[in-house]
Amino acid sequence: MSGPNGMLYGGDEIGALVFDPGHHSLRVGYAQEDTPKADIPAVVGVGPATHIPNSEEKVPDGNITQTGSKTGSELRHYIDVTELHVPRPGMEVQTYMKDGQVDNWDLFEKMLDYCYSKVIRSPSEHHPVLFTEAVWATRPVREKLAELIFEKYQAPAFFLVKNAVLVAFANGKSTALVIDAGATQTSAVPVIDGYALVSAAARSALGGDHLVAQAKLMLNAAHIQMLPIYSIQSKEVIRERERARYTLKSLPAGLTQSWQQYMLKRQYEDFCHCIAQVSESAYDERTAASVPGVHYEFPGGYHQDFGPERFKLTETLFESSLAAPHLACAAAAACDADARPALWAGVVCGGGGACVTGWAERVARDLAARAPSSHRLKSHAAASLAERRFAAWIGGSILASIGSFQQMWISSQEYDEGGKGHLERKCP
Amino acid sequence: MADILDILDIEQPATEISRDSIIHGDKNKKKYVTAKAVKRPEGMHREVFALLYNDNKELPPLLPTDTGKAYKQTKARLGMRKVRKWVWAPFTNPARKDNAVFHHWKRASDEAKEYPFAQFNKQVSIPSYSESEYNQYLKSEDWSQAETDHLMDLCQRFDLRFIVIHDRWDRAAFRDRSVEDLKERYYNICSILSKVKTNPWSNTVTMVNGEKRVYHYDAEHERKRKEQLRRLFDRTQEQIDEEQMLLAELKKIEARKRERERKTQDLQKLISRADSGTITPSTPTNHNTEPPGTPSSMAANMRRHDRKLHKKKITTQQRPMRAVENVTVEWSGIKFPEARGTGVWLRSQRMKLPPGVGQRKTKAIEQELRLMNIDIAPTPTEPICKHFNELRSDLALSIDLKNALASCEFELQALRHQYEALNPGKTLTIPASICNTSVDSDSKPVGEIIDVVGSPGAMNTTI
Ligand SMILES: Nc1ncnc2c1ncn2[C@@H]1O[C@H](COP(=O)(O)OP(=O)(O)O)[C@@H](O)[C@H]1O
């Protein structure tokens, strides 16, 4: 941290952990690393612990957190893809998130147990914990989280930061207009000197899940069936657009609706990640047709090229008045006039939704058309997709390993003395 | 010894591996016998020549390759000392009030000292007041004490970032207030307290010549400014277009008016001439195209002439052996453009460097400003704008001149060496009048030594 000539460099690592809970996944890892250690789906499978459905499945190892003894009536929690993506009768998929915040604390505890035992593999008492939160996080949720971290996990220190602020930090800015496109939400938040302007933030429910729903509609309309991948035993190689030939697997009875839907949603997401692209300007049949198509093979073996549909699909993200550029304009307009030039000069995009090909370019373009012409507009998004997707986590990783940040943590001593009252004061 | 063997291409006995041979090993081995240098043809640029002939006479590759020896060169400096140990050690941070203990990596040999990052713990000092002080001095019809307390608390928490304070204002408990309201109240409290309290505790008080000066916040002016700013930003594209259209129309009308006036004048002249009976054959178009003798075109001619002369002067000075590169300062100062006719604009616009100024020059100017301890983006009041632009223009000129001087000096030295090489045993004494060191003692201004096309004064008056 200090160089040979007495220069003081910025970093000092104290073994902190960074958690970034989202609707799509929970990102967790050590501060000062450049990507999270794990990106775990933000759902928990809850099912009876009794049976082992088929021979391939190993005896459950530590990936399963056990509640109580191994009697048949107990429920078990299945976390992360290797456990969750196995067909099990009676396993319901539940999410612990609601409106960008943790809602079901029992499930969330299971998730944290899993993180500590399988990802971090180190006792929780050794690591200060930094959590990201939505800009609109409510006081009870924040206090509950602090309570959980200090009382159950005995963490030495805790801190909460708004994810928009971290996205700005990850892009090397302390003042920025942050557009964060998540799974269920898209938000635009002005950040001034590392503080999010809460009252000026704008958000809409037009996120990645919306795109998935659109993809479902599109495939239905084209009469293309998305077969669940776990139900396919084998498939034959066929020519493009030919009828699929496959044999089905025999599945255990009693697969729950929620699990099947969850699995299908993952497949639609994959479809979106592969083919969706945002056109440079408003959708136009002819320009879209001139772009070469993208090939996609469905689980059943059916495959075809997708052409202009790829652009039509994403257009719904930009047509409505709740699209990202509109949100950004609304957020900037709600700010004090003195702050606006700096905000427009630093528009930053982050989140999984910003990974769709062409998304950031389109936002920049739409903003250029909508933003007041008296401002210098500069939009920015990390070049690598991983950096875009994990922007909030990376910002947390940077912040938690800055030397001068180490005085900001709420320590367990402070928590013991002042209780939850500290939270509002110390984590703005 | 090894070098001689190398040159004579005699196999060297294998040396034992030592630290030196690891680090400098390939330097010793690779010695290329360089071919006789091919002479550069007259008039060919050095860069072009270098493309055709390099030292070992290889043709340059047609495709980019990465098989060169660039990656083979060992950069690693292999230390032979023992590594120093690091330990995961506890530390306390004096910037924290709770003495919490965290752990970090540190060198085992480093002695314990204060946590280095604690020095960044800076706090804004916010005035405080007691209950009685409030009642005595700070009472206000508009503000309750609870609200004032809330304001001071937020000021402390957000280090006087009033935009953030405004954002986090407790709107449930108190009524919504504008940023200006908050600032007005805060600075008001500061000034009252600084009058009644003796110690100068706050950053709003500065001592000038032993006299207390308190920052005065002009809320009315700020409100007006903010309102204007807001209106400027909130203009829609249609409004901007309309304004531009109207301005263009206005110009047209004015032009037409002038035209009409001119015509009446012409008519008047013709009439008066007709009256006096002497009609000259000159046509009215004369007024449009300037006859060649008008002062402005004459000046332009002279300029051109000047420049030609100047060029000639330098070419005649050329030495036969070595082409002296012409050193001319072609461009001087910065010409800041008049604000373009887009209707309303911010004055800060005037301080923008014109796009013609390159990145390097901008950086150089900023560096100079920093050396002089001048803000690179000062508050753009009318006089500051003017002086700041003049200053930067002068700086740009001075940078140009410095560069020109440096290259002249280089030429001079090169010529001296050349002279000495051609006339062995003789030394060339450079007359003091053209030597750089003498310039300082001489009171001769630099402008007289180096020709500057267009004087800085001329540039500045056009701003
Ligand atoms: N490479 C990608 N291309 C397109 N969409 C992606 C990509 N990666 C993730 N997404 C989408 O981004 C969303 C997840 O974004 P994320 O920021 O992780 O959400 P959250 O913060 O709510 O967990 C999902 O809807 C997912 O489909």
Side-chain angles (χ1 to χ4, degrees), chain B residues 61-301:
Chain B
L62 290 174
L63 293 170
T65 60
D66 61 353
T67 52
K69 54 181 174 162
Y71 294 119
K72 278 190 267 171
Q73 273 162 1
T74 42
K75 286 235 177 67
R77 297 221 153 246
L78 303 174
M80 289 289 158
R81 272 185 300 163
K82 232 178 170 182
V83 293
R84 279 176 290 176
K85 239 194 184 151
W86 289 78
V87 287
W88 183 245
F91 70 95
T92 52
N93 185 346
R96 298 186 66 95
K97 293 183 200 91
D98 60 348
N99 293 322
V101 176
F102 294 115
H103 290 71
H104 65 171
W105 289 106
K106 70 189 257 299
R107 284 223 171 92
S109 54
D110 283 359
E111 77 287 5
K113 56 174 189 236
E114 190 173 82
Y115 188 59
F117 294 102
Q119 62 183 307
F120 296 116
N121 182 27
K122 297 273 186 276
Q123 235 115 41
V124 183
S125 68
I126 306 283
S128 58
Y129 45 81
S130 64
E131 182 92 33
S132 63
E133 274 173 330
Y134 185 88
N135 287 330
Q136 202 176 341
Y137 307 112
L138 303 173
K139 267 202 149 101
S140 154
E141 281 165 27
D142 200 21
W143 288 73
S144 68
Q145 186 173 0
E147 200 172 4
T148 310
D149 290 346
H150 181 54
L151 172 67
M152 299 314 256
D153 177 43
L154 288 180
C155 284
Q156 182 75 64
R157 273 172 60 190
F158 297 113
D159 301 329
L160 295 178
R161 291 181 177 89
F162 280 98
I163 292 175
V164 182
I165 292 170
H166 176 246
D167 178 66
R168 302 295 165 91
W169 188 249
D170 189 351
R171 289 180 177 74
F174 310 109
R175 68 190 173 88
D176 200 1
R177 299 201 180 252
S178 72
V179 176
E180 285 71 36
D181 291 341
L182 301 178
K183 281 190 182 176
E184 186 175 23
R185 177 69 175 159
Y186 173 77
Y187 287 115
N188 215 343
I189 290 174
C190 282
S191 73
I192 293 172
L193 286 180
S194 71
K195 269 179 211 139
V196 296
K197 284 191 174 182
T198 42
N199 54 332
W201 34 260
S202 166
N203 53 350
T204 55
V205 182
T206 44
M207 301 298 278
V208 179
N209 303 332
E211 190 187 334
K212 232 198 239 178
R213 291 259 175 98
V214 180
Y215 176 68
H216 176 69
Y217 181 74
D218 188 348
E220 270 325 300
H221 180 266
E222 279 293 294
R223 278 195 197 102
K224 231 163 74 192
R225 182 186 69 84
K226 194 68 74 67
E227 176 61 21
Q228 285 174 338
L229 195 61
R230 206 184 49 69
R231 282 204 203 146
L232 176 67
F233 288 162
D234 285 351
R235 284 187 307 171
T236 62
Q237 193 57 46
E238 290 92 68
Q239 285 170 328
I240 295 172
D241 290 347
E242 189 182 336
E243 192 180 323
Q244 228 143 15
M245 196 264 288
L246 287 177
L247 281 172
E249 289 296 309
L250 180 68
K251 261 194 200 133
K252 266 190 226 160
I253 291 171
E254 276 174 353
R256 244 177 268 143
K257 200 170 133 204
R258 271 199 303 274
E259 178 84 353
R260 228 181 4 252
E261 272 169 11
R262 202 175 51 74
K263 274 191 179 147
T264 35
Q265 269 179 9
D266 284 349
L267 209 62
Q268 219 112 50
K269 267 188 210 152
L270 280 177
I271 291 169
S272 58
R273 275 177 195 154
D275 280 351
S276 60
T278 52
I279 302 171
T280 49
S282 75
T283 53
T285 48
N286 253 0
H287 293 271
N288 269 345
T289 57
E290 276 176 340
T294 53
S296 67
S297 65
M298 214 131 86
N301 263 358

Side-chain angles (χ1 to χ4, degrees), chain B residues 253-417:
Chain B
I253 291 171
E254 276 174 353
R256 244 177 268 143
K257 200 170 133 204
R258 271 199 303 274
E259 178 84 353
R260 228 181 4 252
E261 272 169 11
R262 202 175 51 74
K263 274 191 179 147
T264 35
Q265 269 179 9
D266 284 349
L267 209 62
Q268 219 112 50
K269 267 188 210 152
L270 280 177
I271 291 169
S272 58
R273 275 177 195 154
D275 280 351
S276 60
T278 52
I279 302 171
T280 49
S282 75
T283 53
T285 48
N286 253 0
H287 293 271
N288 269 345
T289 57
E290 276 176 340
T294 53
S296 67
S297 65
M298 214 131 86
N301 263 358
M302 264 170 45
R303 261 274 181 72
R304 231 173 282 145
H305 189 62
D306 248 8
R307 215 174 286 182
K308 260 191 217 140
L309 255 187
H310 168 76
K311 279 237 177 78
K312 223 180 268 162
K313 210 160 60 192
I314 279 180
T315 43
T316 51
Q317 282 166 359
Q318 270 184 8
R319 304 284 185 287
M321 290 296 292
R322 188 192 160 89
V324 179
E325 280 175 42
N326 294 354
V327 181
T328 43
V329 184
E330 268 300 337
W331 190 77
S332 56
I334 303 169
K335 191 174 185 318
F336 287 89
E338 294 286 317
R340 273 153 291 122
T342 48
V344 189
W345 42 277
L346 297 174
R347 202 189 280 128
S348 59
Q349 219 82 342
R350 279 221 339 230
M351 300 203 315
K352 260 197 195 145
L353 285 173
V357 183
Q359 194 97 24
R360 268 184 43 201
K361 181 152 277 177
T362 313
K363 282 268 150 60
I365 292 175
E366 277 173 16
Q367 179 60 24
E368 292 284 324
L369 285 174
R370 232 171 265 131
L371 285 180
M372 289 189 274
N373 246 338
I374 295 176
D375 194 355
I376 45 177
T379 310
T381 64
E382 186 74 48
I384 288 180
C385 251
K386 183 163 165 285
H387 293 307
F388 189 63
N389 282 353
E390 277 173 14
L391 173 67
R392 283 187 301 175
S393 177
D394 289 350
L395 278 178
L397 176 62
S398 110
I399 290 165
D400 281 346
L401 289 178
K402 266 186 210 157
N403 288 343
L405 180 63
S407 53
C408 280
E409 214 139 83
F410 175 77
E411 287 296 328
L412 190 61
Q413 292 302 329
L415 286 173
R416 195 168 63 93
H417 288 307

Side-chain angles (χ1 to χ4, degrees), chain A residues 372-388:
Chain A
S373 59
S374 42
H375 294 298
R376 193 176 64 96
L377 175 74
K378 205 158 174 224
S379 327
H380 185 81
S384 105
L385 290 191
E387 267 173 51
R388 256 186 231 182

Side-chain angles (χ1 to χ4, degrees), chain A residues 60-321:
Chain A
D61 55 17
N63 273 20
I64 302 162
T65 19
Q66 212 112 23
T67 41
S69 61
K70 278 187 187 133
T71 54
S73 59
E74 288 296 333
L75 284 181
R76 249 171 38 186
H77 295 89
Y78 301 89
I79 292 170
D80 212 351
V81 284
T82 47
E83 285 299 324
L84 191 62
H85 290 191
V86 176
R88 299 170 200 275
M91 179 173 74
E92 295 278 357
V93 171
Q94 298 174 357
T95 178
Y96 49 80
M97 297 289 288
K98 191 178 167 193
D99 193 29
Q101 307 183 56
V102 177
D103 188 49
N104 185 332
W105 291 94
D106 292 334
L107 286 182
F108 190 61
E109 262 185 72
K110 297 285 177 299
M111 183 58 104
L112 289 184
D113 286 341
Y114 173 80
C115 289
Y116 277 113
S117 67
K118 289 293 145 191
V119 179
I120 301 302
R121 293 164 178 274
S122 171
S124 56
E125 303 87 66
H126 289 180
H127 305 284
V129 173
L130 182 129
F131 254 87
T132 72
E133 61 171 359
V135 169
W136 50 88
T138 55
R139 197 167 169 159
V141 174
R142 308 177 84 200
E143 293 183 348
K144 177 89 182 120
L145 186 61
E147 187 186 315
L148 184 69
I149 296 297
F150 278 124
E151 287 172 18
K152 174 154 190 240
Y153 293 99
Q154 303 279 322
F158 174 68
F159 202 72
L160 264 173
V161 198
K162 306 244 180 291
N163 48 19
V165 174
L166 295 178
V167 172
F169 285 170
N171 286 282
K173 295 182 191 304
S174 59
T175 298
L177 181 55
V178 175
I179 305 179
D180 186 355
T184 56
Q185 316 257 4
T186 297
S187 62
V189 183
V191 175
I192 302 279
D193 285 344
Y195 294 100
L197 297 191
V198 176
S199 56
R203 62 168 165 152
S204 76
L206 216 57
D209 286 355
H210 181 75
L211 197 62
V212 168
Q214 291 296 318
K216 205 180 261 181
L217 289 180
M218 183 185 108
L219 290 178
N220 281 347
H223 302 291
I224 297 172
Q225 200 188 359
M226 181 71 91
L227 289 159
I229 195 158
Y230 54 85
S231 70
I232 309 285
Q233 180 76 47
S234 66
K235 59 185 177 185
E236 287 173 40
V237 178
I238 52 171
R239 265 178 291 135
E240 186 170 354
R241 286 177 191 268
E242 213 180 330
R243 246 186 99 83
R245 289 192 296 273
Y246 52 87
T247 51
L248 286 175
K249 222 186 241 179
S250 63
L251 289 169
L255 294 178
T256 63
Q257 194 70 25
S258 66
W259 184 77
Q260 291 181 348
Q261 264 169 5
Y262 165 76
M263 290 301 285
L264 269 184
K265 193 178 149 211
R266 299 293 295 209
Q267 283 172 229
Y268 282 113
E269 271 171 17
D270 178 74
F271 174 72
C272 285
H273 298 181
C274 290
I275 70 136
Q277 186 169 351
V278 183
S279 58
E280 257 169 48
S281 50
Y283 177 77
D284 170 50
E285 186 82 41
R286 234 175 322 130
T287 42
S290 66
V291 180
V294 167
H295 207 73
Y296 191 81
E297 181 178 322
F298 290 88
Y302 176 84
H303 58 104
Q304 74 159 81
D305 257 353
F306 286 90
E309 302 96 319
R310 301 163 52 213
F311 298 97
K312 219 177 202 161
L313 180 61
T314 53
E315 205 53 27
T316 51
L317 292 179
F318 288 91
E319 275 165 352
S320 96
S321 61

